[in-house]
Amino acid sequence: PEAQEETVMKLSTFEEVVSCFKAKKEMLLYKTLFQDCRLVSFSEGKIELNMNEFAASNAASDISQKLSEWTGRRWLVAL
């Protein structure tokens, strides 16, 4: 039942995405989303970010992978 809940997770806002990373204890990616990037645009399944020099080079792909895993749908994170 818990796994089914995760596959139907719906994230409708960027704030919900950031909170999800905190709730899932993905603190490095949470810090990146909260502190090291600026939101350019958001729609469910697609996030465009402007990252600063402190963000890890693989952060966008890691964020995309985690969101896809948690929601059961593909997420594109573009820089």
Side-chain angles (χ1 to χ4, degrees):
E2 189 175 318
Q4 287 177 341
E5 277 182 31
E6 289 183 346
T7 59
V8 295
M9 182 184 296
K10 185 172 172 71
L11 301 170
S12 303
T13 66
F14 183 68
E15 290 77 15
E16 288 176 0
V17 168
V18 175
S19 294
C20 181
F21 277 88
K22 186 175 183 181
K24 297 279 190 179
K25 300 190 183 339
E26 289 288 342
M27 299 315 284
L28 289 175
L29 294 175
Y30 168 75
K31 179 205 167 283
T32 297
L33 290 168
F34 187 76
Q35 193 172 1
D36 297 334
C37 70
R38 182 180 63 81
L39 179 65
V40 175
S41 70
F42 178 90
S43 60
E44 194 171 341
K46 183 178 180 185
I47 303 172
E48 291 184 59
L49 300 171
N50 200 352
M51 293 195 182
N52 68 23
E53 66 273 8
F54 301 111
S57 60
N58 60 337
S61 63
D62 290 348
I63 292 166
S64 176
Q65 180 182 359
K66 291 293 184 185
L67 289 172
S68 297
E69 180 183 314
W70 296 333
T71 63
R73 66 175 292 192
R74 184 172 180 261
W75 280 78
L76 174 65
V77 179
L79 302 179

Coordinates of all heavy atoms in Angstrom, one line a residue:
P1 N 0.8 -1.2 0.0 CA 0.0 0.0 0.0 C 0.8 1.3 0.0 O 0.5 2.2 -0.7 CB -0.8 -0.1 1.3 CG -0.8 -1.5 1.7 CD 0.4 -2.1 1.1
E2 N 2.0 1.3 0.7 CA 2.8 2.5 0.8 C 3.4 2.8 -0.6 O 3.5 3.9 -1.0 CB 3.9 2.3 1.8 CG 4.7 3.5 2.1 CD 5.7 3.4 3.2 OE1 5.3 2.8 4.2 OE2 6.8 3.9 3.0
A3 N 3.9 1.7 -1.3 CA 4.4 1.9 -2.6 C 3.4 2.5 -3.6 O 3.7 3.3 -4.4 CB 5.0 0.6 -3.1
Q4 N 2.1 2.0 -3.4 CA 1.1 2.5 -4.3 C 0.9 4.0 -4.1 O 0.6 4.8 -5.0 CB -0.2 1.8 -4.1 CG -0.1 0.4 -4.7 CD -1.4 -0.4 -4.4 OE1 -2.2 -0.1 -3.5 NE2 -1.6 -1.5 -5.1
E5 N 0.9 4.4 -2.8 CA 0.8 5.9 -2.5 C 1.8 6.7 -3.2 O 1.6 7.7 -3.7 CB 0.9 6.1 -1.0 CG -0.4 5.8 -0.2 CD -0.2 6.1 1.3 OE1 0.6 7.0 1.6 OE2 -0.8 5.5 2.1
E6 N 3.1 6.2 -3.2 CA 4.2 7.0 -3.8 C 4.0 7.1 -5.3 O 4.3 8.1 -5.9 CB 5.5 6.3 -3.5 CG 5.9 6.4 -2.1 CD 7.3 5.8 -1.8 OE1 7.8 5.1 -2.6 OE2 7.8 6.1 -0.8
T7 N 3.4 6.1 -6.0 CA 3.3 6.1 -7.4 C 2.2 7.1 -7.8 O 2.1 7.5 -9.0 CB 3.1 4.8 -8.1 OG1 1.9 4.2 -7.5 CG2 4.3 3.9 -7.8
V8 N 1.2 7.4 -6.9 CA 0.2 8.3 -7.3 C 0.4 9.7 -6.7 O -0.5 10.6 -6.8 CB -1.2 7.8 -6.9 CG1 -1.6 6.5 -7.6 CG2 -1.3 7.6 -5.4
M9 N 1.6 10.0 -6.2 CA 1.9 11.3 -5.6 C 1.8 12.3 -6.7 O 2.2 12.1 -7.9 CB 3.4 11.3 -5.1 CG 3.8 12.6 -4.5 SD 5.5 12.6 -4.0 CE 5.5 11.3 -2.7
K10 N 1.1 13.4 -6.4 CA 0.9 14.5 -7.4 C 1.5 15.7 -6.8 O 1.3 16.1 -5.7 CB -0.6 14.7 -7.6 CG -1.0 15.7 -8.6 CD -2.5 15.7 -8.9 CE -2.9 16.8 -9.8 NZ -2.5 16.7 -11.1
L11 N 2.4 16.3 -7.6 CA 3.1 17.5 -7.2 C 2.7 18.6 -8.2 O 3.1 18.6 -9.4 CB 4.6 17.3 -7.3 CG 5.1 16.2 -6.3 CD1 6.6 15.9 -6.6 CD2 4.9 16.6 -4.9
S12 N 1.9 19.6 -7.7 CA 1.3 20.6 -8.6 C 2.0 21.9 -8.6 O 1.8 22.7 -9.5 CB -0.1 20.8 -8.3 OG -0.9 19.6 -8.3
T13 N 2.9 22.1 -7.6 CA 3.6 23.4 -7.6 C 5.1 23.1 -7.2 O 5.5 22.0 -6.7 CB 3.1 24.3 -6.4 OG1 3.3 23.7 -5.2 CG2 1.6 24.5 -6.6
F14 N 5.9 24.1 -7.5 CA 7.4 24.0 -7.2 C 7.6 23.8 -5.7 O 8.4 23.1 -5.2 CB 8.1 25.2 -7.8 CG 9.6 25.1 -7.6 CD1 10.4 24.1 -8.2 CD2 10.3 25.9 -6.7 CE1 11.7 24.0 -8.0 CE2 11.6 25.9 -6.5 CZ 12.4 24.9 -7.2
E15 N 6.8 24.6 -4.9 CA 6.9 24.5 -3.5 C 6.6 23.1 -3.0 O 7.2 22.6 -2.1 CB 5.9 25.5 -2.8 CG 6.3 26.9 -3.0 CD 5.9 27.5 -4.4 OE1 5.2 26.9 -5.2 OE2 6.5 28.5 -4.7
E16 N 5.6 22.4 -3.6 CA 5.3 21.0 -3.2 C 6.5 20.1 -3.6 O 6.8 19.1 -2.8 CB 4.1 20.5 -4.0 CG 2.8 21.1 -3.4 CD 1.6 20.6 -4.2 OE1 1.7 19.8 -5.2 OE2 0.5 21.1 -3.8
V17 N 7.2 20.4 -4.7 CA 8.4 19.6 -5.1 C 9.5 19.7 -4.0 O 10.0 18.8 -3.6 CB 8.9 20.0 -6.5 CG1 10.2 19.4 -6.8 CG2 7.9 19.6 -7.6
V18 N 9.7 21.0 -3.7 CA 10.8 21.3 -2.7 C 10.4 20.6 -1.4 O 11.3 19.9 -0.7 CB 11.0 22.8 -2.5 CG1 12.0 23.1 -1.4 CG2 11.5 23.4 -3.8
S19 N 9.2 20.7 -0.9 CA 8.8 20.1 0.3 C 8.9 18.6 0.3 O 9.2 17.9 1.3 CB 7.3 20.5 0.6 OG 7.2 21.8 0.9
C20 N 8.6 18.0 -0.9 CA 8.7 16.6 -1.0 C 10.2 16.1 -0.8 O 10.4 15.1 -0.1 CB 8.2 16.2 -2.4 SG 8.3 14.4 -2.8
F21 N 11.1 16.8 -1.3 CA 12.5 16.4 -1.1 C 12.9 16.5 0.3 O 13.6 15.7 0.8 CB 13.5 17.3 -2.0 CG 13.6 16.8 -3.4 CD1 12.7 17.2 -4.4 CD2 14.6 15.9 -3.7 CE1 12.8 16.7 -5.7 CE2 14.7 15.4 -5.0 CZ 13.8 15.8 -6.0
K22 N 12.4 17.5 1.0 CA 12.6 17.6 2.5 C 12.0 16.4 3.2 O 12.6 15.8 4.1 CB 12.1 18.9 3.0 CG 12.4 19.1 4.5 CD 12.0 20.5 4.9 CE 12.4 20.8 6.4 NZ 12.0 22.1 6.8
A23 N 10.7 16.1 2.9 CA 10.0 15.0 3.5 C 10.6 13.7 3.3 O 10.6 12.8 4.2 CB 8.5 15.0 3.1
K24 N 11.2 13.5 2.1 CA 11.9 12.2 1.7 C 13.3 12.2 2.2 O 14.0 11.2 2.0 CB 11.9 12.0 0.2 CG 10.5 11.9 -0.4 CD 9.9 10.5 -0.2 CE 8.7 10.4 -1.0 NZ 8.2 9.0 -0.9
K25 N 13.7 13.2 3.0 CA 15.1 13.3 3.5 C 16.2 13.3 2.5 O 17.3 12.7 2.7 CB 15.3 12.2 4.6 CG 14.3 12.4 5.8 CD 14.6 11.5 6.9 CE 13.7 11.5 8.0 NZ 12.8 12.6 8.2
E26 N 15.9 13.8 1.3 CA 16.9 14.0 0.3 C 17.5 15.4 0.5 O 17.2 16.3 -0.3 CB 16.3 13.9 -1.1 CG 15.9 12.4 -1.5 CD 17.1 11.5 -1.7 OE1 18.2 12.1 -2.0 OE2 16.9 10.3 -1.7
M27 N 18.3 15.6 1.5 CA 18.7 16.9 2.0 C 19.6 17.6 1.0 O 19.5 18.8 0.9 CB 19.3 16.8 3.4 CG 18.3 16.3 4.4 SD 16.6 17.0 4.3 CE 16.9 18.6 5.0
L28 N 20.5 16.9 0.3 CA 21.4 17.6 -0.6 C 20.6 18.2 -1.8 O 20.8 19.3 -2.2 CB 22.5 16.7 -1.2 CG 23.5 16.3 -0.1 CD1 24.5 15.3 -0.7 CD2 24.3 17.5 0.3
L29 N 19.6 17.4 -2.3 CA 18.8 17.9 -3.4 C 17.8 19.0 -2.9 O 17.5 19.9 -3.6 CB 18.1 16.8 -4.1 CG 19.0 15.8 -4.8 CD1 18.2 14.6 -5.4 CD2 19.8 16.5 -5.9
Y30 N 17.3 18.8 -1.7 CA 16.5 19.8 -1.1 C 17.2 21.2 -1.0 O 16.7 22.2 -1.4 CB 16.0 19.4 0.3 CG 15.4 20.5 1.1 CD1 14.1 20.9 0.8 CD2 16.1 21.1 2.2 CE1 13.5 22.0 1.5 CE2 15.5 22.1 2.9 CZ 14.2 22.6 2.6 OH 13.6 23.6 3.3
K31 N 18.5 21.1 -0.5 CA 19.3 22.3 -0.4 C 19.5 23.0 -1.8 O 19.4 24.2 -1.9 CB 20.6 22.0 0.2 CG 21.6 23.2 0.4 CD 23.0 22.8 0.4 CE 24.0 23.9 0.2 NZ 24.1 24.4 -1.2
T32 N 19.7 22.1 -2.8 CA 19.9 22.6 -4.1 C 18.6 23.4 -4.6 O 18.7 24.5 -5.1 CB 20.2 21.5 -5.1 OG1 21.5 20.9 -4.7 CG2 20.3 22.0 -6.5
L33 N 17.5 22.7 -4.4 CA 16.2 23.4 -4.8 C 15.9 24.6 -4.0 O 15.4 25.6 -4.6 CB 15.1 22.4 -4.7 CG 15.1 21.2 -5.7 CD1 14.1 20.1 -5.3 CD2 14.9 21.7 -7.1
F34 N 16.2 24.6 -2.7 CA 15.8 25.7 -1.8 C 16.8 26.8 -1.9 O 16.3 28.0 -1.8 CB 15.7 25.1 -0.4 CG 15.2 26.1 0.6 CD1 13.9 26.4 0.7 CD2 16.1 26.8 1.5 CE1 13.4 27.3 1.6 CE2 15.6 27.7 2.4 CZ 14.2 28.0 2.4
Q35 N 18.1 26.5 -2.1 CA 19.1 27.6 -1.9 C 19.9 27.8 -3.2 O 20.4 29.0 -3.4 CB 20.0 27.1 -0.8 CG 20.9 28.1 -0.3 CD 21.6 27.6 1.0 OE1 21.4 26.5 1.4 NE2 22.4 28.5 1.5
D36 N 20.1 26.8 -4.0 CA 21.1 27.0 -5.1 C 20.5 27.1 -6.5 O 21.2 27.0 -7.5 CB 22.1 25.8 -5.1 CG 22.9 25.7 -3.9 OD1 23.1 26.7 -3.2 OD2 23.3 24.5 -3.5
C37 N 19.2 27.4 -6.6 CA 18.6 27.6 -7.9 C 17.5 28.6 -7.8 O 17.0 28.9 -6.8 CB 18.1 26.2 -8.5 SG 16.7 25.5 -7.7
R38 N 17.1 29.0 -9.0 CA 16.0 30.0 -9.2 C 15.1 29.3 -10.2 O 15.5 28.8 -11.2 CB 16.5 31.3 -9.7 CG 15.5 32.3 -9.9 CD 16.0 33.6 -10.5 NE 16.6 33.5 -11.8 CZ 15.9 33.5 -12.9 NH1 14.6 33.6 -12.9 NH2 16.5 33.4 -14.1
L39 N 13.8 29.3 -9.8 CA 12.8 28.7 -10.7 C 12.6 29.6 -11.9 O 12.4 30.8 -11.8 CB 11.5 28.5 -9.9 CG 10.3 28.0 -10.7 CD1 10.6 26.5 -11.2 CD2 9.1 28.0 -9.9
V40 N 12.6 29.0 -13.1 CA 12.3 29.8 -14.3 C 10.9 29.5 -14.7 O 10.1 30.4 -15.0 CB 13.3 29.4 -15.5 CG1 12.9 30.0 -16.8 CG2 14.8 29.7 -15.1
S41 N 10.5 28.2 -14.8 CA 9.1 27.9 -15.1 C 8.8 26.5 -14.5 O 9.7 25.7 -14.3 CB 8.8 27.9 -16.6 OG 9.5 26.8 -17.2
F42 N 7.5 26.3 -14.2 CA 7.1 25.0 -13.7 C 5.8 24.6 -14.3 O 4.9 25.4 -14.4 CB 6.9 25.1 -12.1 CG 6.4 23.8 -11.5 CD1 7.3 22.9 -11.0 CD2 5.1 23.6 -11.4 CE1 6.9 21.7 -10.5 CE2 4.6 22.4 -10.8 CZ 5.5 21.5 -10.4
S43 N 5.7 23.3 -14.7 CA 4.4 22.7 -15.0 C 4.6 21.3 -14.6 O 5.7 20.8 -14.4 CB 4.1 22.8 -16.5 OG 5.1 22.2 -17.3
E44 N 3.5 20.6 -14.3 CA 3.6 19.2 -13.8 C 4.3 18.4 -14.8 O 3.9 18.3 -15.9 CB 2.2 18.7 -13.5 CG 2.3 17.4 -12.6 CD 1.0 16.9 -12.2 OE1 0.0 17.7 -12.1 OE2 0.9 15.8 -11.8
G45 N 5.5 17.8 -14.4 CA 6.3 17.0 -15.3 C 7.5 17.7 -15.9 O 8.4 17.1 -16.5
K46 N 7.5 19.1 -15.7 CA 8.7 19.8 -16.3 C 9.0 21.0 -15.4 O 8.2 21.8 -15.0 CB 8.3 20.3 -17.7 CG 9.4 21.1 -18.4 CD 9.1 21.5 -19.7 CE 10.3 22.2 -20.3 NZ 9.9 22.8 -21.6
I47 N 10.3 21.1 -15.1 CA 10.8 22.2 -14.3 C 12.0 22.8 -15.0 O 12.9 22.1 -15.5 CB 11.3 21.7 -12.9 CG1 10.2 21.0 -12.2 CG2 11.8 22.9 -12.1 CD1 10.6 20.3 -10.9
E48 N 12.0 24.1 -15.1 CA 13.2 24.8 -15.7 C 13.8 25.6 -14.6 O 13.1 26.4 -13.9 CB 12.8 25.7 -16.8 CG 12.3 25.0 -18.1 CD 12.0 25.9 -19.2 OE1 12.9 26.7 -19.6 OE2 10.9 25.9 -19.7
L49 N 15.1 25.4 -14.4 CA 15.8 26.1 -13.3 C 17.1 26.8 -13.8 O 17.6 26.4 -14.8 CB 16.3 25.0 -12.3 CG 15.2 24.1 -11.6 CD1 15.9 23.0 -10.8 CD2 14.4 25.0 -10.7
N50 N 17.4 27.8 -13.1 CA 18.7 28.5 -13.3 C 19.5 28.2 -12.0 O 19.1 28.6 -10.9 CB 18.4 30.0 -13.4 CG 19.5 30.7 -14.1 OD1 20.5 30.2 -14.3 ND2 19.2 32.0 -14.3
M51 N 20.6 27.4 -12.1 CA 21.3 27.0 -10.9 C 22.6 27.9 -10.8 O 23.2 28.2 -11.8 CB 21.7 25.5 -11.0 CG 20.5 24.6 -11.0 SD 21.0 22.9 -10.7 CE 19.4 22.2 -10.6
N52 N 23.0 28.1 -9.5 CA 24.2 28.9 -9.3 C 25.4 27.9 -9.3 O 25.3 26.7 -9.5 CB 24.1 29.7 -8.0 CG 24.0 28.8 -6.7 OD1 24.5 27.7 -6.7 ND2 23.5 29.4 -5.7
E53 N 26.6 28.5 -9.0 CA 27.8 27.7 -9.1 C 28.0 26.7 -7.9 O 28.8 25.8 -8.0 CB 29.0 28.6 -9.0 CG 29.2 29.4 -7.8 CD 28.5 30.8 -7.7 OE1 27.6 31.0 -8.6 OE2 28.7 31.5 -6.8
F54 N 27.1 26.8 -6.9 CA 27.2 25.9 -5.8 C 26.4 24.6 -6.0 O 26.6 23.6 -5.3 CB 26.7 26.5 -4.5 CG 27.5 27.8 -4.1 CD1 26.9 29.0 -4.2 CD2 28.8 27.7 -3.8 CE1 27.6 30.2 -3.9 CE2 29.5 28.8 -3.5 CZ 29.0 30.0 -3.5
A55 N 25.6 24.5 -7.0 CA 24.8 23.3 -7.3 C 25.6 22.3 -7.9 O 26.5 22.6 -8.8 CB 23.6 23.7 -8.3
A56 N 25.4 21.0 -7.6 CA 26.2 19.9 -8.2 C 25.8 19.8 -9.6 O 24.7 20.1 -10.1 CB 25.8 18.6 -7.4
S57 N 26.8 19.4 -10.4 CA 26.6 19.3 -11.9 C 25.6 18.3 -12.3 O 25.0 18.4 -13.3 CB 28.0 19.0 -12.6 OG 28.5 17.8 -12.1
N58 N 25.4 17.3 -11.4 CA 24.4 16.2 -11.8 C 23.0 16.5 -11.1 O 22.2 15.6 -11.1 CB 24.9 14.9 -11.4 CG 25.3 14.7 -9.9 OD1 25.5 15.7 -9.3 ND2 25.3 13.5 -9.5
A59 N 22.8 17.6 -10.4 CA 21.6 17.9 -9.7 C 20.4 17.7 -10.5 O 19.4 17.1 -10.0 CB 21.7 19.2 -9.0
A60 N 20.3 18.3 -11.7 CA 19.1 18.3 -12.5 C 18.7 16.8 -12.8 O 17.5 16.5 -12.7 CB 19.3 19.0 -13.8
S61 N 19.7 16.0 -13.2 CA 19.3 14.6 -13.5 C 18.9 13.8 -12.2 O 18.0 13.0 -12.3 CB 20.5 13.9 -14.2 OG 21.6 13.8 -13.4
D62 N 19.5 14.1 -11.1 CA 19.1 13.5 -9.8 C 17.7 13.9 -9.4 O 17.0 13.0 -9.0 CB 20.1 13.8 -8.7 CG 21.5 13.2 -8.9 OD1 21.6 12.3 -9.8 OD2 22.4 13.5 -8.2
I63 N 17.4 15.1 -9.6 CA 16.1 15.6 -9.2 C 15.0 15.0 -10.1 O 14.0 14.5 -9.7 CB 16.0 17.2 -9.3 CG1 16.9 17.8 -8.3 CG2 14.6 17.7 -9.3 CD1 17.2 19.3 -8.5
S64 N 15.3 14.9 -11.4 CA 14.4 14.3 -12.4 C 14.2 12.8 -12.0 O 13.1 12.3 -12.0 CB 15.0 14.4 -13.8 OG 14.2 13.7 -14.7
Q65 N 15.3 12.1 -11.7 CA 15.2 10.7 -11.4 C 14.3 10.5 -10.2 O 13.5 9.6 -10.2 CB 16.6 10.1 -11.2 CG 16.6 8.6 -10.9 CD 18.0 8.1 -10.6 OE1 19.0 8.8 -10.7 NE2 18.1 6.9 -10.3
K66 N 14.6 11.2 -9.1 CA 13.8 11.1 -7.9 C 12.3 11.4 -8.1 O 11.4 10.6 -7.6 CB 14.4 11.9 -6.8 CG 15.7 11.5 -6.3 CD 15.6 10.1 -5.6 CE 16.9 9.7 -5.0 NZ 16.9 8.4 -4.4
L67 N 12.0 12.5 -8.8 CA 10.6 12.8 -9.0 C 9.9 11.8 -9.8 O 8.8 11.4 -9.5 CB 10.5 14.2 -9.7 CG 10.9 15.4 -8.8 CD1 10.9 16.7 -9.7 CD2 9.9 15.5 -7.7
S68 N 10.6 11.2 -10.8 CA 10.0 10.2 -11.7 C 9.7 8.9 -10.8 O 8.6 8.3 -10.9 CB 10.9 9.8 -12.8 OG 11.1 10.9 -13.7
E69 N 10.6 8.6 -10.0 CA 10.5 7.4 -9.1 C 9.3 7.6 -8.1 O 8.5 6.7 -7.9 CB 11.8 7.3 -8.3 CG 11.9 6.1 -7.3 CD 13.2 6.1 -6.6 OE1 14.3 6.3 -7.2 OE2 13.2 6.0 -5.4
W70 N 9.2 8.8 -7.5 CA 8.2 9.0 -6.5 C 6.8 9.2 -7.1 O 5.8 8.9 -6.5 CB 8.5 10.3 -5.7 CG 9.8 10.1 -4.9 CD1 10.3 9.0 -4.4 CD2 10.7 11.2 -4.5 NE1 11.5 9.2 -3.7 CE2 11.7 10.6 -3.7 CE3 10.6 12.6 -4.6 CZ2 12.7 11.3 -3.2 CZ3 11.7 13.3 -4.0 CH2 12.7 12.7 -3.3
T71 N 6.7 9.8 -8.3 CA 5.4 10.1 -8.9 C 4.9 9.1 -9.9 O 3.7 9.1 -10.3 CB 5.4 11.5 -9.6 OG1 6.3 11.5 -10.7 CG2 5.7 12.6 -8.6
G72 N 5.8 8.2 -10.4 CA 5.4 7.2 -11.4 C 5.2 7.8 -12.8 O 4.7 7.2 -13.7
R73 N 5.7 9.0 -13.0 CA 5.7 9.6 -14.3 C 7.0 10.3 -14.6 O 7.8 10.6 -13.7 CB 4.5 10.6 -14.4 CG 4.6 11.8 -13.6 CD 3.5 12.8 -13.8 NE 3.7 13.4 -15.1 CZ 3.1 14.4 -15.6 NH1 2.2 15.0 -14.8 NH2 3.2 14.9 -16.8
R74 N 7.3 10.5 -15.8 CA 8.6 11.1 -16.3 C 8.6 12.6 -15.9 O 7.6 13.3 -16.2 CB 8.7 10.9 -17.8 CG 10.1 11.4 -18.3 CD 10.3 11.0 -19.7 NE 11.5 11.5 -20.2 CZ 11.7 12.6 -20.9 NH1 10.6 13.3 -21.3 NH2 12.9 13.0 -21.3
W75 N 9.7 13.1 -15.4 CA 9.9 14.5 -15.1 C 11.1 15.0 -15.9 O 12.1 14.3 -15.9 CB 10.1 14.7 -13.6 CG 8.9 14.8 -12.8 CD1 8.1 13.7 -12.5 CD2 8.2 15.9 -12.4 NE1 7.0 14.1 -11.8 CE2 7.0 15.5 -11.7 CE3 8.4 17.3 -12.4 CZ2 6.1 16.3 -11.1 CZ3 7.5 18.1 -11.8 CH2 6.4 17.7 -11.1
L76 N 11.0 16.1 -16.5 CA 12.1 16.8 -17.2 C 12.6 17.9 -16.4 O 11.7 18.8 -16.0 CB 11.7 17.2 -18.6 CG 12.7 18.0 -19.4 CD1 13.9 17.2 -19.7 CD2 12.1 18.6 -20.6
V77 N 13.8 18.0 -16.0 CA 14.4 19.1 -15.3 C 15.4 19.7 -16.2 O 16.5 19.1 -16.5 CB 15.0 18.7 -14.0 CG1 15.6 19.9 -13.3 CG2 14.0 18.0 -13.1
A78 N 15.1 20.9 -16.7 CA 16.0 21.6 -17.7 C 16.7 22.8 -17.0 O 16.2 23.4 -16.1 CB 15.2 22.1 -18.9
L79 N 17.9 23.0 -17.5 CA 18.7 24.2 -17.0 C 18.7 25.3 -18.0 O 18.7 25.0 -19.2 CB 20.1 23.8 -16.7 CG 20.3 22.7 -15.6 CD1 21.7 22.3 -15.4 CD2 19.6 23.1 -14.3

